[in-house]
Amino acid sequence: MGGDRRGDLSDAEWERLRPFLPVSNGRCGRWRDHRQVIDGILHRVRTAVHWRDLPERFGPWKTIYERHRLWSADGTWERLLQQVQAAADAAGEIDRDVSVDSTSVRAHQHAAGARRSTARPGQAKGGLGRGTPGRMAVAEPGRPAGGGGAGGEGLGRSRGGFTSKIHLSADGRCRPLSLIITPGQRADCTQFVPVLEKIRVPRQRVGRPRNKPDSVAADKAYSNGPCRQYLRQRSIRHIIPEKADSQAARRRRGWRGGRPPGFDQDRYKKRNTVERAINKLKNHRAVATRYDKRGYVFLGTVAAASLVIWLRT
């Protein structure tokens, strides 16, 4: 297994991840070595190389591809991300001043043409699904249904062309907390509530997952009544600048227009954390350009890249 090992998991990173990995249920054969396969997946996520062109040191390319596809389908990548977040939270290493934003990703022509099938992908053998109770398992995250054409796979047309959009929240240390994939033309504000609802940092011992940030910062794309009302209902302090037309409409109404929303300029400066988190994600070439046909597989790709960011921050 010689050759360039740049990008592989270090021993310390592997030890942080190993306790949360699926274990074999003993009925479907043995797993190929997790570390070797994960290194192969991360190599592909980092370089966007064709699956068939993966270096031989990672083992059979089809094994690596199937592991990634199945772990994307049953939510294993997202659960691993949550468990690493839980370990960081237990150590007091999460800055809960959250920022929300989105980024468009150009879809390669190879991302088109997924079959219009409504059948759900199978569970990974011995994974954290129905077959084997996972270690420190948490509620299974929602996944795109897929099989409904380009829109069902998170592909659409925007001014950037054939694109997907990644909606995410990030903590104050530039690490993704939650992820959603939509077609590229989908408005940012429509995914504001789902992104925040998807934040679930499990507690390592007893208690409900942490899902309420200390504060939320977002740009003017999220400056509307439903977004502000949701944050008020959850008693979450928020910093969202008011649009110029909203300011003018409020002033025209006089005292009936109400008071202007509070705005903390210093706190808003920290919103760049989500922009930096996006830059870290797009350092992975399979995230910067979408090659995956299925929406759930691309979500798994982005989750794997996020997992690397958490392990290396």
Side-chain angles (χ1 to χ4, degrees), residues 208-260:
R208 297 179 180 178
R210 293 180 179 270
N211 57 9
K212 184 177 178 180
D214 292 340
S215 68
V216 172
D219 60 23
K220 290 183 179 181
Y222 303 92
S223 180
N224 59 30
C227 292
R228 295 184 188 275
Q229 182 180 6
Y230 169 80
L231 293 167
R232 284 196 297 269
Q233 288 175 346
R234 294 192 62 191
S235 301
I236 299 175
R237 185 166 57 92
H238 57 281
I239 298 89
I240 303 176
E242 192 177 18
K243 294 180 180 178
D245 56 350
S246 299
Q247 292 178 1
R250 176 173 49 76
R251 289 167 181 163
R252 282 197 302 270
R253 297 187 64 189
W255 63 270
R256 289 185 297 271
R259 293 177 296 179

Side-chain angles (χ1 to χ4, degrees), residues 110-185:
H110 293 168
R115 293 181 181 179
R116 289 177 173 266
S117 170
T118 57
R120 293 302 304 155
Q123 293 280 344
K125 62 180 181 179
L128 295 181
R130 294 173 297 176
T132 302
R135 301 182 184 182
M136 304 173 67
V138 296
E140 183 176 349
R143 302 184 303 276
E153 301 297 349
L155 292 165
R157 297 283 177 179
S158 65
R159 286 186 295 178
F162 191 44
T163 55
S164 291
K165 185 174 281 189
I166 304 172
H167 304 262
L168 73 156
S169 62
D171 78 335
R173 298 183 65 186
C174 312
R175 298 173 296 188
L177 285 169
S178 60
L179 303 160
I180 290 179
I181 306 298
T182 67
Q185 76 276 12

